[in-house]
């Protein structure tokens, strides 16, 4: 028999898994790592569901950010760029998406994570710093360096990135 807690958790997972998977892919740059990120965060959420059931999305996203940071702090590994997303979101311009995927894959995990939180998740610098347990100045400098690196790696993204963003 499914309890109310289990039904609520199942409904949350069913309703938000695609969005969480997209964010996890952007954070990790790898489909398999993204799946692992989502699963690890959802496992944590399931354990604490009674406490977080009123706002689970923030908890799960924060768990994904922290797990991703933990992984890139523990091991610095060469990443292979797997292009494309899981198909959950249709791309308006496939060439642009592929170029962006390739460029993001060549950033450090920290740079990619900061850019995803700032520009995909639309967090402020302060919110990003809080989510990653970094100082605001570190978020600012990491953003600046990551955008400069993107401009170098993929000049064709200049319209997307901006001249001095």
């Amino acid at each position: 028999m499914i309890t109310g807690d289990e039904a609520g958790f199942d409904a949350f997972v069913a309703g938000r898994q695609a969005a969480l998977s997209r964010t996890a892919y952007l954070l990790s740059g790898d489909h398999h790592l993204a799946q692992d990120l989502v699963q690890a965060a959802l496992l944590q959420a399931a354990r604490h569901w009674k406490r977080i059931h009123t706002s689970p999305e923030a908890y799960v996203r924060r768990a994904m950010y922290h797990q991703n940071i933990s992984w890139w702090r523990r091991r610095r590994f060469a990443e292979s760029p797997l292009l494309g997303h899981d198909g959950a979101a249709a791309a308006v311009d496939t060439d642009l998406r592929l170029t962006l995927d390739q460029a993001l894959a060549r950033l450090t995990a920290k740079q990619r994570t900061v850019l995803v939180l700032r520009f995909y998740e639309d967090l402020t610098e302060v919110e990003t710093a809080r989510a990653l347990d970094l100082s605001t100045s570190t978020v600012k400098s990491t953003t600046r360096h990551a955008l400069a690196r993107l401009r170098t790696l993929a000049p064709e993204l200049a319209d997307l990135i901006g001249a001095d963003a």
Side-chain angles (χ1 to χ4, degrees):
M1 183 166 111
I2 296 178
T3 67
D5 288 344
E6 290 172 2
F9 179 74
D10 290 346
F12 169 73
V13 171
R16 299 305 301 155
Q17 189 162 11
L20 294 170
S21 293
R22 283 190 300 273
T23 299
Y25 175 79
L26 289 171
L27 288 170
S28 67
D30 178 280
H31 289 289
H32 296 101
L33 288 175
Q35 290 173 353
D36 291 346
L37 269 177
V38 172
Q39 291 304 313
L42 290 174
L43 181 61
Q44 239 180 320
R47 285 188 203 127
H48 301 285
W49 187 252
K50 286 184 181 184
R51 183 172 47 96
I52 66 159
H53 73 279
T54 56
S55 60
E57 179 118 10
Y59 181 90
V60 171
R61 287 183 180 277
R62 189 171 179 93
M64 285 186 342
Y65 307 151
H66 284 280
Q67 184 67 44
N68 189 54
I69 290 169
S70 177
W71 288 347
W72 58 257
R73 281 185 179 158
R74 267 189 253 139
R75 23 168 222 221
R76 309 272 183 191
F77 56 88
E79 300 169 347
S80 61
L82 293 177
L83 303 178
H85 299 284
D86 61 359
V92 175
D93 184 346
T94 303
D95 290 337
L96 177 63
R97 189 195 75 218
L98 293 176
T99 301
L100 182 59
D101 282 351
Q102 289 171 336
L104 287 173
R106 294 178 62 196
L107 296 176
T108 67
K110 182 178 181 180
Q111 289 174 331
R112 185 176 47 251
T113 300
V114 168
L115 290 183
V116 168
L117 295 184
R118 288 282 293 121
F119 301 108
Y120 182 74
E121 293 290 316
D122 201 27
L123 298 183
T124 66
E125 290 166 339
V126 172
E127 292 168 333
T128 301
R130 195 174 304 125
L132 299 177
D133 291 328
L134 299 172
S135 69
T136 303
S137 61
T138 299
V139 169
K140 288 179 182 181
S141 66
T142 301
T143 301
R144 185 176 62 252
H145 293 296
L147 291 175
R149 186 150 183 222
L150 280 179
R151 282 186 208 97
T152 302
L153 294 172
E156 60 274 33
L157 297 176
D159 291 339
L160 183 64
I161 299 170
D164 55 340

